[in-house]
Amino acid sequence: MNYLAICQVVKECSMQDIKEKFKNIPFTPDQWHELDLGNRHGIDVTEFANIHFSSEQMKILREAKENGIDIKVICSPDIPADEMRKILEHIYNEMGFYNEQYERTRRKWLKNITWMIVLAASVIAVCSLVYLNKDTIALYFENLELVLKEQVVQLKTNEAFNPGDQVESYSEDSELRINTNDFDSGTPGTYTIVYSVTNGKKTIFRNLIVNVIDGEAPVLKLSEEKIELKKGDSFSCKAYISEVRDNIDSLSSEDVECSNVIDWEQSEQYVDYSLTDTSGNSAEETLLVLIKKESETETPQNGQISSGGTNSASESQNESGGSNNSTTVPSSLPSKKFLFSDGYMMPDPNNPNDPLDAYNACSAYRGNHSGKCSVLTGDDGLFIGYEYTPS
């Protein structure tokens, strides 16, 4: 096997292979170390795998082989290590080995110096850019501040509100921006107002939640505060509603809660009205109802007024059929319509006392006041309800 083949075989051997190959030779640990290094560096170690070589001699021979020197002239255990070094130096000088080594070292040094110069130049350039733009760069690292007084605010509809008043503090020399989006204090709902502070390079944001609630009560008005009824008169509580409205909801008399039940045994009683919108706001009104007893009649004053020149109240009663007529009070009521579209019913012969009967409601509204309840027709000539008109 030639030298190259042996070298290849040795190169492929691991330390375990070396020890296996020379297992019968009692090398010291230092000698094993040199053999292992030579094997790893791909050289043939068999030439100096001799127990008679010291570890120092093995090291000199190994380095010589690694530098391409033929070690045959010095490969003898009898040549001391110092003498081996002198012989190798003479060989190196003749081969110009030191010059080549110096040149390689110089090129390597120049290469390192070049990289150092490039690196230093790059650092200087970066530092120069940073210095020239230090003010701009500082803006990116500025600690901006934006503090709101509250995170959530609750308002009533149409309540005065200035978004800028919610800012407690923000960074000086910075611009404050407020985006109200679609905020509308007149419409109930939840809105988000976005606040931002910017220095031109950096921006921070804060959100304010605004809950707008309907805190305004609806309007409920009655046409009368007090009415008088006789036992058996029809009564519709909604006939005395004159106005219903709300700032948000579309309310009508149909949304009003009241009772049509009258206790005819009581001389007076109250009818309660209540109206509530979708936000829970409510309005209340009360109507006083006075009940006239059946025995109460209204007679002409002093009993002197009669028809046909008679002087007694009894004669007047006889001429009128023996009945007592109540006195008509001049009307102070405003005109009012009782429309089927508002929930009133058409007259029903089978239920003549129905309080929701449009005519009965009109009559109850009129009471003892003068005036009349007239039929109302629409543009198409159809019957649409009754209207009370004073006289």
Side-chain angles (χ1 to χ4, degrees), residues 217-237:
V219 175
L220 172 60
K221 293 183 179 180
L222 303 182
S223 59
E224 298 286 344
E225 295 181 357
K226 178 178 66 175
I227 63 170
E228 289 186 354
L229 296 177
K230 294 184 296 183
K231 187 175 182 179
D233 286 347
S234 61
F235 173 74
S236 172
C237 62

Side-chain angles (χ1 to χ4, degrees), residues 91-220:
I91 295 174
Y92 287 153
N93 289 329
E94 289 184 351
M95 296 175 59
F97 175 80
Y98 289 121
N99 293 334
E100 293 179 3
Q101 189 176 33
Y102 169 77
E103 186 63 24
R104 287 197 301 269
T105 302
R106 190 180 70 84
R107 285 196 298 267
K108 184 177 181 181
W109 180 81
L110 289 175
K111 183 178 180 181
N112 291 338
I113 290 296
T114 302
W115 278 111
M116 291 178 65
I117 293 173
V118 171
L119 180 60
S122 300
V123 171
I124 293 173
V126 171
C127 292
S128 299
L129 289 174
V130 170
Y131 178 78
L132 293 175
N133 297 278
K134 62 181 183 301
D135 294 335
T136 301
I137 295 174
L139 294 176
Y140 289 99
F141 298 94
E142 183 180 359
N143 185 23
L144 295 179
E145 178 186 6
L146 173 56
V147 180
L148 302 182
K149 295 179 180 179
E150 299 178 78
Q151 302 300 316
V152 180
V153 174
Q154 183 166 291
L155 304 175
K156 293 183 179 180
T157 49
N158 298 314
E159 181 179 347
F161 175 70
N162 182 6
D165 294 339
Q166 297 300 314
V167 179
E168 183 172 299
S169 63
Y170 66 95
S171 300
E172 296 181 0
D173 301 327
S174 297
E175 180 184 358
L176 173 66
R177 300 172 182 174
I178 302 177
N179 184 1
T180 58
N181 296 314
D182 56 351
F183 174 73
D184 180 7
S185 63
T187 304
T190 299
Y191 301 88
T192 300
I193 297 180
V194 180
Y195 296 77
S196 62
V197 166
T198 181
N199 59 14
K201 299 298 181 181
K202 182 180 179 180
T203 304
I204 62 173
F205 299 89
R206 298 290 185 270
N207 291 338
L208 175 67
I209 305 300
V210 181
N211 294 319
V212 179
I213 62 173
D214 178 12
E216 185 175 339
V219 175
L220 172 60

